[in-house]
Every structure is written in C-alpha cells, then in structure tokens.
Amino acid sequence: MTGPLAALFTIAQAAPQVVSHAAAAVVSPPALAGAVPLVLPASVSVLVAGAITGRALALRRRILAIAPLPGTGPGPAPGGGSASASSGAGGDTGYEFVTGERVMLSGPIRRVAVGHAREHRLDVLDLVPADLPTERALDLARTFDPRAYRNDPLAVGRGAGFATVVAGDLLDRAGHVRAALDPGAFGAATARLRQFTTSADLAVVPSACPRGPLGRGRRAWLTGLGVPVSWLVASSVLGYLAVLVALALAPVWGLLAVVAYCAVPYLVFGGTALAPHDLHAAALLRLVREPYGWWRTITDPPGAWEREHADRADAARPYYRAEIDRGVERFLGPRRNDCPWCESRALTVRVRTGDMVHGKPGVFTLERCRDCGHVFQNPRLVDEGRVFYDRDHRSSGVLELRVRGDVLRARARFAAAHVGSPRAWLDVGAGHGHFCRAAATLFPGTAFDGLDAGPGVEEGVLRGWLRAGHRGTFRDLPAELAGRYDVISMHHYLEHSGDPLAELDAVVRALPAGGHLLIEQPDPDCRIGRLGRVWFPWLQPRHLDLAPADNLTRALAARGMRVLAVQRRAAHHRHDAAAAVHLGLSAFAPDPSRPWSPGPPTRATRVRRVAAQAALPPLLAAAALADRLVLPLVPGPGNAYRVLARKDAG
C-alpha cells in the first residue's frame, strides 16, 4: 500500500493513540507533557484539513447554483451554424454576443442561449464553458455569490471570461464596442454590464474553452472585474503555507492536510455541471501547479486593456510632477483662529496626517472646538487644492471601502417610518446613485433624482438608477427645482461641502412644506476615532467639516426644521478595523506605479510592497473579526449618525 492510501492508513492507526494521550492528559495531569508533542501537531493538521475541506464545500455550493443551459446537454458542443470569434450580431433577436479572444461559439449554442435569455427575460447571460480550466473555474467560484448576484440590485457582474449574451439596447447604453475583447477588457465589461440591469444570470454550455498556457490573462481578467489580484494570490499563498507548516510539524498527520489540499478540485467540481479539462492534473499536481500559477499571474505581460490604463497614468505624470514641484503648501488657505460653527477660539488639534488613501503629498490638520465639539480642517484646502486631491480619485487603483447594500437599505428603512410614499426624491452627493438603486426596492413608486459634482450622476441615468442627474453643488441647484422633491437626502455630503451651514440654508429653502431631509455623516464623537489617522472617517484631505449630532440637530431646529428621529449606534458601519489595516499598509508601502509617486520604484519599495500585500489577508481577516465582535462593544456612539427632519408649514 503506497501513496495517499498508505498515509490515511497510518493516520487511522495513530488516531487511537492520540485519543488515549488526550484522555490521559485530562485524567492524569502529569501525563500532559507526553501528550502535547503529539496532540498539538496533529491538531494543526486536522484544523488545516478541516478548513480547506469546509472552504471547498462552500465553493461547491456556489458552482452547483450554476445550471447547464437547457437543451445543450452534456458532451462536445453541437456543430453547425456560425462560429465567429467576435461578438456576433443577434439579427432580429434583440440580443448580441460579447466574447473573449479566440472564442468559438456554434450556431446551435447561440440560438439556445438567446432563447433561454428571452424566455427568462434576462438582459445579461454569461456563458460558462463546461471544460473551463480549473484555475479559472476556481476563480469563478471564489468571486461568484449566486444569492447576491441574482437578488442584490447592487451586485457586481461576474462570469467566466468566455462569452456573454447581452440585450442590444443594454449594450448600447453601456457603450461597449462590438468586438472580441482581451481578458482585461472582457472583465471590465462583465462587471459593468451587470450594473445596468437586475435580470442577469450564468449558465454552463458544452462549448470548448480555448486552450492556453496556465495563468495567461488571469491577472488582467481579475483586474478588469475589480477583484484585487494581490489579495487573491496572497490568500492562496497563505493556504499553501498552512499545508506546509502542518506537514513540517507532523509529517504523518500533515499528509491529511496535503490530501485535503490536493482534493479541492474534486470536492468543488465533482458531480457538477463543470468538468475542467485539466481537473486530474490540477488535483494530483496541485502542490506544483499552484506556485507556478502565482508566478504566471504576477509576471504575465500586460494586455491591451492594462496598457491603456497604464498609458493614462503615464499621461497624468507630467501634471502631478509640475504641481508638486510648485509646492503643495499653496493648496492650503490661511489658518483661522475661530470655529466655523460657533466662532469660539477654544481650538485644539484633533489629528494631523497626510493623504492616507492616495498618498499624495501634503500634511493636513483637523482641529476640534472645545466648546461645541465641531471638528474641521484648519487650514482648509482652497479650490485649486480640492481639484488636485480629487483628481484620479476613482481611478487611482487604491482599494476603497464599498458601502454594502444592507447599509444603503438601512438608510432607506430609517426614513420609511416617517416619509410615507414620496413622489420625488433628490439624493445629494449621489455619485452613480447606489443609494437610489437600493432604496427603490422599498419605495417602488418614487422617482429618484441625483445631484453630484462629478459625472457619476450622468452614468447613473444611463444605468437606470436615476431618473435625472444634476451636476454641481446643492447651492447651485436650479431655482425651478425648488419645491419639487418630497425628500432630500445627503449621505456623507456635508463633510465635503466646505460650508455645511450654507448647505442647510439652501436645503430648507428648496424643501416644500411637509418635505423631509435625511442626513447621514461621520460622527466625530465616536471613541474609535482614537485610532488616529488610520480612522477612516477622518479621510484627509477630503473631509472638511465633521459636526457632532447635537450641533446638527440644533442647526436644523434653528432653521425651522422639526427633527423626527436620530440614529447613532444603529448607523455604525462595521469597517473601522478593516479600513485601518488598508490605510496603514497603504501608508507603509504605497503603490509605486501611481502617477504622483516621486520616482521609479526601488528594490526597497518593491520589498515593502510585497511584504504589505502578503500581510494583508491575515491582518484583514483579524480586522474583520474585530469589526464584528470587538469594536461593537466599545461604548458610546458609532462612526456615523443619521438625522431625519421635517419642514412643517409656516
């Protein structure tokens, strides 16, 4: 008996000894010293094997949720029909195909896919080839959550990078070209198309997947999807190292972890609609293939989509170099000696920090008024400085926190108890309209409009998330729109505005009698703010004013608004520890490819960057536990609060 079976047989023989040692340790404490050397290494191996198996079974449930395309059946792709490698026109079907490079789709597959999309009223149907390579199939399982993808209106598009059936009008609204796409461009298209519809799904087809070297295009595909490649690779490395540690501690018991690790492809795909063409090699040679896959993913030459994004960064370098050479101190105005909220001169420094999110040069100070508690940037950015620090905010490549759908829906539920069924709702600082998209599920008869200084509102209209989009600040809102909205919401807007009291004056004028104002913003009274500059709500230099809840409610009352409800602890966002990890590691090892970096990366900066990326997964896992289990125990208000007020007649 040799190989894994012999290892399992040896483990079975050793198990009674482990149990007896453990029992003796409990009954006879002096025997504990003899039991520990065997129990602890064996326990590590069992824990590692159990964690690997549990994760594999969770991924398997996701794969089982992807059904075969009805009518195609198992086996090779049916022949006949057109086999175009580019996106084929749907003729009079109303659907078109977006495909990857070198993808061949037969005519019957196309007809069945279009019929399935039409029957189920799907705007987007991503086709997953049954023989998808194991590595790409595992990436799909890791990034695709069937429940969220099908039910969450804010879900990001996911797929296999093979072919996608898209309704023609949606393709036009999304602005995508009708051509075969390289992995990066296809990933970006997959993520983007889902944002234009809620009727999307995946289906397995028996089409042959193009063969190619292991890992080719993987980094570009994942980057296009918006998946952090460093996180994915680092997580895989840590799992691999856990197996090696278990094997080193107890070679016999460690084989249990090795068997579990190599069996992952079988556990995930065995008996499912997916049968990767390299399944056996991926399982039996996994200890060898995984490191090779990491190396190929990291060193794969950039494709056209990646080069285009790199060219944009290079084009921005002269601008940043010229601005930085002139000195960033000019972006700050004169320091004021009194509080902009109550005019008190009792000021103290709350936090002094640089640009923690993007790493642009500059030092910024937040001061706190000892009389009213207002926290404000002092000295404050001038308009030219705000342009400099806001530029490339969305495309800098920094992993930013994304507000979850449950948080957005919680905002809407907070208002629902008081506002009834408003006809029209204006969201100020709407961005693309994520809140409006989520709130529409609670207010199906409400027309949502958005206002923002950036172009996101125009994109929100194209996606169908907003009825109308207005560019500018709230104080620039056209006079003819005053009185048209039953509800005006400002979520994390006032702290960016530069003059929150003037914004409140403007919103009171714009609301009709009986109209409601919903505000959410960071709470500077949160005790977690003692984390200092890595506390995300400080967000320098973009947050200019952080008003305590009492200050805001008194300001609203002074303007004739009746405060109906205030949420403090319930408005807390559970991301403080995770954000602190991201900000701390970004400050320790900033991305040297950013266009405002001082020069080409050195060996030391590369080493720091690799170390930070390797440390991210375990630190982030610990931070997620802290956000869920530890920080909620901190007394006092949370990191945000909500206020709902009504403008009464007269």
Side-chain angles (χ1 to χ4, degrees):
M1 186 182 304
T2 59
L5 289 179
L8 291 174
F9 181 71
T10 305
I11 291 170
Q13 285 183 317
Q17 299 176 16
V18 175
V19 174
S20 63
H21 275 292
V26 174
V27 176
S28 178
L32 181 63
V36 168
L38 179 61
V39 172
L40 290 183
S43 300
V44 171
S45 298
V46 171
L47 288 174
V48 171
I52 291 172
T53 303
R55 175 61 173 164
L57 294 178
L59 297 181
R60 175 183 177 83
R61 286 192 292 271
R62 294 184 175 187
I63 294 299
L64 287 172
I66 308 175
L69 190 66
T72 56
S82 170
S84 172
S86 63
S87 68
D92 58 358
T93 65
Y95 288 89
E96 299 189 43
F97 284 81
V98 177
T99 70
E101 296 173 321
R102 302 184 296 114
V103 168
M104 305 293 288
L105 271 180
S106 68
I109 290 279
R110 290 171 177 265
R111 288 191 292 272
V112 173
V114 169
H116 181 74
R118 182 186 294 110
E119 178 184 356
H120 293 273
R121 298 181 179 180
L122 299 173
D123 290 327
V124 176
L125 177 63
D126 200 273
L127 305 181
V128 181
D131 57 349
L132 191 68
T134 301
E135 184 181 56
R136 180 63 66 87
L138 285 173
D139 285 340
L140 174 63
R142 294 178 185 118
T143 57
F144 170 67
D145 183 348
R147 179 178 299 181
Y149 185 80
R150 291 166 178 152
N151 301 323
D152 186 353
L154 298 174
V156 178
R158 291 292 180 254
F162 176 68
T164 306
V165 185
V166 186
D169 63 325
L170 188 149
L171 202 61
D172 291 332
R173 285 191 290 120
H176 277 292
V177 298
R178 288 156 169 81
L181 304 176
D182 71 4
F186 201 170
T190 300
R192 179 173 168 79
L193 289 171
R194 175 62 176 79
Q195 296 171 333
F196 285 75
T197 182
T198 55
S199 56
D201 206 349
L202 284 75
V204 177
V205 297
S207 302
C209 183
R211 303 296 196 266
L214 179 65
R216 176 165 294 175
R218 184 192 185 203
R219 186 192 63 234
W221 161 252
L222 293 171
T223 302
L225 281 180
V227 176
V229 178
S230 59
W231 161 264
L232 208 62
V233 172
S235 300
S236 179
V237 171
L238 289 175
Y240 191 90
L241 291 177
V243 173
L244 295 184
V245 169
L247 192 62
L249 290 176
V252 174
W253 280 94
L255 289 176
L256 181 63
V258 172
V259 171
Y261 186 76
C262 293
V264 165
Y266 290 131
L267 291 174
V268 176
F269 303 113
T272 70
L274 286 185
H277 64 77
D278 60 345
L279 179 63
H280 300 302
L284 299 177
L285 301 176
R286 195 167 187 229
L287 287 175
V288 177
R289 285 170 58 104
E290 280 295 293
Y292 178 60
W294 307 330
W295 180 77
R296 283 303 306 264
T297 300
I298 295 172
T299 61
D300 200 31
W305 182 83
E306 289 180 295
R307 289 195 299 270
E308 179 182 350
H309 280 253
D311 290 343
R312 292 177 186 171
D314 290 339
R317 292 184 194 280
Y319 163 81
Y320 283 108
R321 188 72 271 150
E323 294 295 312
I324 293 171
D325 287 345
R326 292 174 61 194
V328 296
E329 298 80 7
R330 60 195 171 88
F331 292 142
L332 295 173
R335 181 186 178 277
R336 64 181 299 161
N337 297 317
D338 61 343
C339 170
W341 196 274
C342 71
E343 299 183 347
S344 167
R345 291 179 174 269
L347 305 180
T348 183
V349 173
R350 185 66 181 84
V351 65
R352 184 174 284 113
T353 180
D355 181 354
M356 293 296 292
V357 174
H358 302 303
K360 293 181 180 179
V363 177
F364 312 97
T365 302
L366 286 173
E367 296 193 13
R368 180 180 181 273
C369 175
R370 287 195 293 265
D371 289 336
C372 73
H374 187 72
V375 177
F376 64 102
Q377 188 184 84
N378 193 23
R380 183 159 301 197
L381 280 179
V382 298
D383 289 342
E384 187 182 5
R386 296 178 70 175
V387 170
F388 175 83
Y389 288 102
D390 282 345
R391 177 171 171 148
D392 299 306
H393 174 62
R394 299 293 179 187
S395 60
S396 65
V398 176
L399 181 63
E400 297 176 15
L401 294 175
R402 178 177 175 268
V403 177
R404 302 187 310 271
D406 57 346
V407 173
L408 301 175
R409 287 185 288 271
R411 294 173 182 169
R413 285 194 298 269
F414 173 65
H418 302 277
V419 302
S421 300
R423 294 167 302 160
W425 187 315
L426 177 67
D427 189 39
V428 182
H432 292 95
H434 288 81
F435 167 74
C436 300
R437 173 81 151 180
T441 60
L442 277 75
F443 299 95
T446 301
F448 286 92
D449 293 351
L451 182 146
D452 200 277
V457 287
E458 297 162 0
E459 169 79 4
V461 173
L462 286 175
R463 294 180 185 179
W465 297 9
L466 301 171
R467 179 187 64 176
H470 308 288
R471 290 282 297 273
T473 66
F474 187 79
R475 283 171 283 172
D476 299 329
L477 188 71
E480 61 268 20
L481 296 179
R484 291 191 181 183
Y485 296 103
D486 304 311
V487 181
I488 295 177
S489 56
M490 294 177 165
H491 300 119
H492 295 272
Y493 168 78
L494 286 177
E495 62 266 31
H496 296 270
S497 67
D499 193 345
L501 293 175
E503 297 286 342
L504 293 180
D505 291 336
V507 75
V508 170
R509 290 194 299 268
L511 273 173
H516 292 83
L517 172 63
L518 173 62
I519 293 176
E520 178 181 301
Q521 64 176 36
D523 194 335
D525 291 335
C526 179
R527 294 187 180 181
I528 306 174
R530 295 171 184 172
L531 287 171
R533 60 182 188 149
V534 294
W535 190 52
F536 188 75
W538 294 139
L539 195 61
Q540 288 303 288
R542 307 189 77 239
H543 283 178
L544 306 178
D545 291 273
L546 293 95
D550 291 343
N551 285 10
L552 183 62
T553 56
R554 285 194 292 266
L556 290 171
R559 287 159 176 78
M561 300 288 291
R562 180 159 57 95
V563 175
L564 302 179
V566 177
Q567 255 189 3
R568 300 198 74 176
R569 193 69 189 180
H572 178 76
H573 297 191
R574 294 186 177 184
H575 63 212
D576 286 318
V581 167
H582 279 298
L583 294 178
L585 290 180
S586 294
F588 169 74
D591 182 1
S593 67
R594 294 178 299 189
W596 50 86
S597 296
T602 64
R603 179 176 298 180
T605 58
R606 290 193 184 98
V607 170
R608 287 161 65 97
R609 185 70 176 168
V610 171
Q613 291 175 335
L616 179 61
L619 290 178
L620 200 57
L625 289 176
D627 281 325
R628 288 288 173 182
L629 303 177
V630 179
L631 294 187
L633 302 178
V634 176
N639 56 20
Y641 65 85
R642 300 182 182 119
V643 175
L644 181 68
R646 175 187 172 94
K647 181 180 179 180
D648 291 329

